[in-house]
Amino acid sequence: MTTFTTHTLDTAPADAKPILQAALKGYGFLPNLYAAMSEAPAILEGYTTLSGIFDKSNLSATERQIILMTNNRLNGCEYCMAAHTTLSQMAGVNEDTIEALRKGTPIADPKLEALRQLAIAMNEKRGWLSEAQIEAVLAAGYTRQNILEVILGTALKTMSNYTNHIAETDLDAAFVPNHWTDPTT
């Protein structure tokens, strides 16, 4: 089997080092996802840049985590489910919402559930949404802008989930308390 390197600041390619140093400063540790992505500095830069752009969307922290965690679950990314559970907790996302996202069950808030359903449809149908699916999320109070922002979050998770799958990224100690196992594997 092909193995991928989980780089350190010392072993990472030069173009990845400034991004890794910023991550170390921001998180207090170097996330293994970033260490794996640093093999290709362009994906690391793309992921961190896109993450920053997604944070500027018109969606709340809870809404962004709904999109990210829904994609993590659907893509079976154990690393990202644990990481985003931790990030959701830090952002003050309701524990019942986090638990629903981890289990793939409905969220009690109808508007947030409509967003979760949109994220599911976007992932599973690869963007080929029906008019009824679009109208349902608009009726729940979201906008066309928000629909496009779901695509942004889905793209972000494709980058990290797929990297974790091929690199078999080890879970960081900070995320171990929120370990998640994909029930479909």
Side-chain angles (χ1 to χ4, degrees), residues 5-39 44-45 47-48 79 83 87 164 169-175:
T5 302
T6 302
H7 285 281
T8 65
L9 282 173
D10 293 331
T11 65
D15 288 347
K17 287 182 181 188
I19 300 168
L20 296 180
Q21 288 168 337
L24 181 59
K25 182 178 178 185
Y27 291 110
F29 68 98
L30 180 59
N32 287 333
L33 169 63
Y34 287 24
M37 282 182 164
S38 67
E39 182 71 26
L44 177 61
E45 181 179 1
Y47 180 75
T48 57
Y79 180 96
L87 294 172
N164 288 322
T169 310
D170 289 330
L171 194 59
D172 298 286
F175 307 139

Side-chain angles (χ1 to χ4, degrees), residues 65-77 81 119-120 122-124 150 153-155 157-158 161:
Q65 288 302 325
I66 288 168
I67 295 162
L68 299 175
M69 288 184 68
T70 298
N71 277 281
N72 293 337
R73 185 185 56 76
L74 292 171
N75 292 334
C77 188
M81 280 300 283
I120 291 169
M122 193 70 74
N123 178 295
E124 291 180 345
V150 171
T154 301
K157 289 292 72 187
T158 299
N161 294 168

Side-chain angles (χ1 to χ4, degrees), residues 23-146:
L24 181 59
K25 182 178 178 185
Y27 291 110
F29 68 98
L30 180 59
N32 287 333
L33 169 63
Y34 287 24
M37 282 182 164
S38 67
E39 182 71 26
I43 193 171
L44 177 61
E45 181 179 1
Y47 180 75
T48 57
T49 300
L50 192 58
S51 181
I53 293 168
F54 189 54
D55 285 346
K56 294 176 186 177
S57 73
N58 198 35
L59 298 164
S60 71
T62 294
E63 291 166 327
R64 290 191 307 272
Q65 288 302 325
I66 288 168
I67 295 162
L68 299 175
M69 288 184 68
T70 298
N71 277 281
N72 293 337
R73 185 185 56 76
L74 292 171
N75 292 334
C77 188
E78 295 179 2
Y79 180 96
C80 284
M81 280 300 283
H84 281 276
T85 298
T86 303
L87 294 172
S88 292
Q89 291 165 337
M90 292 170 60
V93 176
N94 176 293
E95 282 296 325
D96 290 339
T97 299
I98 294 170
E99 195 59 29
L101 293 167
R102 288 174 60 91
K103 291 180 178 178
T105 58
I107 298 170
D109 181 300
K111 183 176 181 184
L112 297 178
E113 176 58 17
L115 181 64
R116 186 182 80 89
Q117 288 300 320
L118 177 65
I120 291 169
M122 193 70 74
N123 178 295
E124 291 180 345
K125 294 180 173 277
R126 293 172 182 54
W128 295 104
L129 302 179
S130 70
E131 188 65 30
Q133 289 167 319
I134 293 170
E135 289 302 321
V137 79
L138 293 173
Y142 290 102
T143 65
R144 287 167 181 77
Q145 175 182 339
N146 299 141

